[in-house]
């Protein structure tokens, strides 16, 4: 486990600002970078991989950064960045919050929101030094809506959990490269736990986020991720596990008490979306195969068998039944006197319910 990066001495002065801008984009997230000192810009950058998290170290001349909606759409690592300003000064605007000048403390940032930051040096060197801990949003065992209140907020590094976390980051900075490669996962997990405890202390939710509540919050995030990616044919339990920095074994254990497994959830929700699309009039011009592909089924015969198993009829039979019900309902409404064509509140076409399966 070693620092990965290039010191400023290895890059010509005329190329240093461009190099550093590219390093920021590659190691943190794409952003606009500007400076009044591009001609004599000084910078260093290095990254330490720690399993579920990443620690980056930056030293640089005064600059301004901006992460826009367009850049977020282009690429979003979906991370929280906890920056510890060890030298110099930084000010961050995000989510309606303004950190004010931060020196010696930490500040939280979110790659999924627009952000502006200004860094200015203090003292003779005029440079800023920051350690940035990059934490996947999905891996943090705190509710996102609570953590979001902390963006662009100062996190003191001199007291409480903030001081403990800062000392740990300082130790990682100096001793991390000396550790054995097999220790990186354990150190990363410890950094994640300390970060969660530090933010929970600041939010005053230590008692509200007990360890036993963390699996529930993680399952909620995984369910949301599955719903958002149903159309991706590559969506599998392995993909879900990797996105949430879990082993497959840990993912299965997380859902072992649920009625439906992770693979079963993906399959069932895809079938539900297909069932709704086949029944609705908006996609009548689309073939059954096209609708199946829209929700991640790449093999038409596999989809047909799964649909029949879940609903007791083929996709085509379900579509014809829905069309017949729509036609009959329209004829019935047309035969009613004007003003009497509205059915009782809540009236809907009955749809078959899927048979749950753990497969």
């Amino acid at each position: 486990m070693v620092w990965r990066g290039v010191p400023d001495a290895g890059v010509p002065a005329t190329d240093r600002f461009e190099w550093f801008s590219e390093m920021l984009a590659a190691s943190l997230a794409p952003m606009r970078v500007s400076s009044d000192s591009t001609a004599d810009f000084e910078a260093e950058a290095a990254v330490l991989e720690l399993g579920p998290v990443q620690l980056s170290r930056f030293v640089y001349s005064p600059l301004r950064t901006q992460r826009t909606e367009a850049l977020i759409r282009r690429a979003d690592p979906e991370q929280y960045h906890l920056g510890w300003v060890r030298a110099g000064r930084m000010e961050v605007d995000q989510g309606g919050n303004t950190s004010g000048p931060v020196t010696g403390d930490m500040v939280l940032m979110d790659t999924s929101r627009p952000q502006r930051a200004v860094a200015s040096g203090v003292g003779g060197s005029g440079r800023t030094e920051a350690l940035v801990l990059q934490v996947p949003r999905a891996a943090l065992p705190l509710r996102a809506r609570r953590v979001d209140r902390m963006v662009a907020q100062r996190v003191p590094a001199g007291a409480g959990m903030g001081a403990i976390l800062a000392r740990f980051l300082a130790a990682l900075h100096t001793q991390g490269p000396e550790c054995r490669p097999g220790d990186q996962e354990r150190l990363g997990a410890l950094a994640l736990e300390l970060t969660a405890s530090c933010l929970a202390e600041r939010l005053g939710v230590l008692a509200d986020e007990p360890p036993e509540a963390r699996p529930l919050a993680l399952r909620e995030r995984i369910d949301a991720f599955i719903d958002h990616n149903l159309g991706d044919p590559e969506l599998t339990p392995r993909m879900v596990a990797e996105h949430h920095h879990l082993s497959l074994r840990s993912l299965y254990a997380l859902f072992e008490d649920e009625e439906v497994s992770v693979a079963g959830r993906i399959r069932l929700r895809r079938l539900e979306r297909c069932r709704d699309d086949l029944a609705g009039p908006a996609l009548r011009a689309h073939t059954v195969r096209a609708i199946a592909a829209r929700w991640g089924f790449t093999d038409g015969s596999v989809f047909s068998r799964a649909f029949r198993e879940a609903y007791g009829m083929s996709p085509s039979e379900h579509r014809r039944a829905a069309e017949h019900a729509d036609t009959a309902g329209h004829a019935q409404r047309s035969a009613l006197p004007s003003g009497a064509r509205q059915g009782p509140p809540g009236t809907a076409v009955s749809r078959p319910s899927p048979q749950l399966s753990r497969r």
Side-chain angles (χ1 to χ4, degrees):
M1 180 170 58
V2 297
W3 284 101
R4 172 172 53 84
V6 182
D8 64 345
V11 179
T14 54
D15 299 332
R16 204 166 292 146
F17 176 75
E18 182 178 354
W19 163 81
F20 187 69
S21 300
E22 293 173 352
M23 278 290 296
L24 286 179
S27 58
L28 295 181
M31 62 186 74
R32 294 177 182 171
V33 184
S34 60
S35 173
D36 297 330
S37 308
T38 57
D40 56 351
F41 196 82
E42 297 181 353
E44 300 175 26
V47 174
L48 191 64
E49 302 286 353
L50 296 166
V53 303
Q54 178 175 289
L55 183 65
S56 300
R57 176 180 180 267
F58 302 107
V59 181
Y60 46 90
S61 298
L63 56 72
R64 297 173 294 277
T65 62
Q66 182 180 10
R67 187 150 163 77
T68 64
E69 291 279 9
L71 290 173
I72 293 170
R73 288 194 297 270
R74 182 187 305 173
D76 183 11
E78 298 182 0
Q79 294 176 342
Y80 290 116
H81 290 171
L82 187 64
W84 180 18
V85 186
R86 304 180 75 194
R89 180 187 295 118
M90 182 184 296
E91 186 164 343
V92 178
D93 293 324
Q94 188 174 50
N97 297 331
T98 300
S99 68
V102 177
T103 301
D105 289 329
M106 296 177 281
V107 60
L108 186 69
M109 295 158 279
D110 180 357
T111 65
S112 300
R113 293 185 177 194
Q115 167 199 310
R116 294 176 183 268
V118 178
S120 55
V122 175
S125 70
R127 301 202 301 178
T128 295
E129 178 189 357
L131 290 180
V132 180
L133 186 67
Q134 298 160 243
V135 178
R137 290 174 59 93
L140 194 64
L142 292 169
R143 296 188 184 279
R145 66 175 180 271
R146 289 173 174 159
V147 180
D148 288 348
R149 300 201 303 263
M150 284 288 297
V151 297
Q153 295 289 308
R154 180 194 303 269
V155 180
M161 285 302 304
I164 294 173
L165 175 58
R167 286 196 292 270
F168 179 74
L169 295 180
L172 281 179
H173 171 231
T174 57
Q175 303 299 324
E178 306 301 323
C179 295
R180 295 172 299 178
D183 291 333
Q184 61 185 9
E185 289 281 344
R186 184 171 59 85
L187 290 171
L190 183 54
L192 181 60
E193 182 177 344
L194 289 175
T195 300
S197 296
C198 176
L199 296 178
E201 180 187 67
R202 297 295 299 168
L203 290 165
V205 295
L206 281 176
D208 195 36
E209 293 286 353
E212 58 268 23
R214 294 177 182 178
L216 177 60
L218 183 54
R219 284 199 297 267
E220 289 176 353
R221 288 195 291 272
I222 289 173
D223 279 339
F225 176 79
I226 289 174
D227 283 342
H228 186 70
N229 291 277
L230 287 173
D232 185 351
E234 300 298 321
L235 179 66
T236 62
R238 183 173 296 279
M239 175 182 171
V240 172
E242 290 176 353
H243 181 85
H244 293 86
H245 303 276
L246 298 169
S247 66
L248 269 175
R249 188 175 186 177
S250 297
L251 178 67
Y252 293 148
L254 188 66
F255 286 88
E256 64 182 354
D257 295 331
E258 298 288 319
E259 188 175 5
V260 183
S261 68
V262 177
R265 293 167 112 77
I266 294 172
R267 176 173 171 270
L268 176 60
R269 291 181 188 180
R270 281 174 167 163
L271 288 170
E272 289 172 345
R273 300 302 192 278
C274 291
R275 177 198 63 188
D276 292 344
D277 282 356
L278 288 166
L283 298 178
R284 291 273 162 82
H286 292 69
T287 65
V288 170
R289 184 179 292 271
I291 289 175
R294 184 173 186 241
W295 293 110
F297 287 101
T298 57
D299 188 314
S301 60
V302 169
F303 165 67
S304 294
R305 285 196 300 270
F307 194 95
R308 183 180 289 278
E309 179 183 337
Y311 300 112
M313 63 181 71
S314 71
S316 296
E317 289 169 341
H318 173 61
R319 169 174 267 184
R320 286 194 295 271
E323 291 175 350
H324 177 74
D326 287 347
T327 301
H330 178 72
Q332 184 179 22
R333 287 192 299 272
S334 298
L336 292 174
S338 177
R341 295 178 184 174
Q342 182 99 24
T347 299
V349 175
S350 176
R351 290 175 178 168
S353 298
Q355 299 299 313
L356 297 181
S357 170
R358 291 193 58 84
R359 285 183 295 171

